[in-house]
Amino acid sequence: MPLPWRWRTTWNIAVERYAPLLADADLLRSQAGGGMIPSLDPTVSYNLSRAHQTSLRQLLHVGHLCAGAGVHPIERLLSQGFLTGTNATLSWNSNFSLSNSLTNNFNPSVNSYLDLKVTQHLLQGFGLAVNRRNIRIAQNGRKVSDLAFKAQVITTVATVMNMYWTW
């Protein structure tokens, strides 16, 4: 037994109502760099590790039996992609080391460096037009889903009016 006409049209409108929302989600994904272009959302990472090493040895000239060393490397990273295809990465690395050796003149010691890396591919994915294509496609998809929803509502209203005047 087929569904009554009222239910079918109501369900059609209800289903078409979600198409613009899905198109909005697709547009946001494209603006965030989903697809072939680099990620346009900034990425932040933080890595911390710890290591300790102890070695037993006889240091005759000092009389020290045990030498131990601790190392704590830390890495902080910030990365950002741009519509031109450029990718910039800023990293700050530091290495803290501590030793109980009596001959170590710099104890504790910290070695740090700051690194800025900018990458621009000259031929692959260069330019705004190439990297904005997914965003333009998603914007067009949003317009199409809006028009499809409007067409469904217009069709439903026209059918209801025709049924009203033909009865």
Side-chain angles (χ1 to χ4, degrees), residues 33 42 48 142 144:
L48 172 67
R142 174 69 165 111
V144 167

Coordinates of all heavy atoms in Angstrom, one line a residue, residues 33 42 48 142 144:
G33 N 40.9 23.2 5.0 CA 42.0 22.5 4.3 C 41.8 21.1 4.0 O 42.7 20.4 3.7
P42 N 45.7 25.9 12.3 CA 47.0 25.8 12.9 C 47.1 24.6 13.7 O 46.2 24.1 14.3 CB 47.1 27.1 13.8 CG 45.7 27.5 14.0 CD 44.9 27.0 12.8
L48 N 57.6 15.9 25.2 CA 58.4 15.9 26.4 C 58.9 14.5 26.6 O 58.0 13.6 26.6 CB 57.7 16.5 27.6 CG 58.4 16.4 28.9 CD1 59.6 17.3 28.9 CD2 57.5 16.8 30.0
R142 N 26.7 24.4 -1.7 CA 25.7 25.0 -0.8 C 24.6 25.7 -1.5 O 23.4 25.7 -1.1 CB 26.5 26.0 0.1 CG 25.7 26.8 1.1 CD 25.1 26.0 2.1 NE 24.5 26.8 3.2 CZ 23.3 27.0 3.5 NH1 22.4 26.4 2.8 NH2 22.9 27.7 4.5
V144 N 23.5 25.1 -4.5 CA 22.7 24.1 -5.2 C 21.7 23.4 -4.1 O 20.5 23.2 -4.4 CB 23.6 23.0 -5.8 CG1 22.8 21.8 -6.2 CG2 24.3 23.5 -7.1

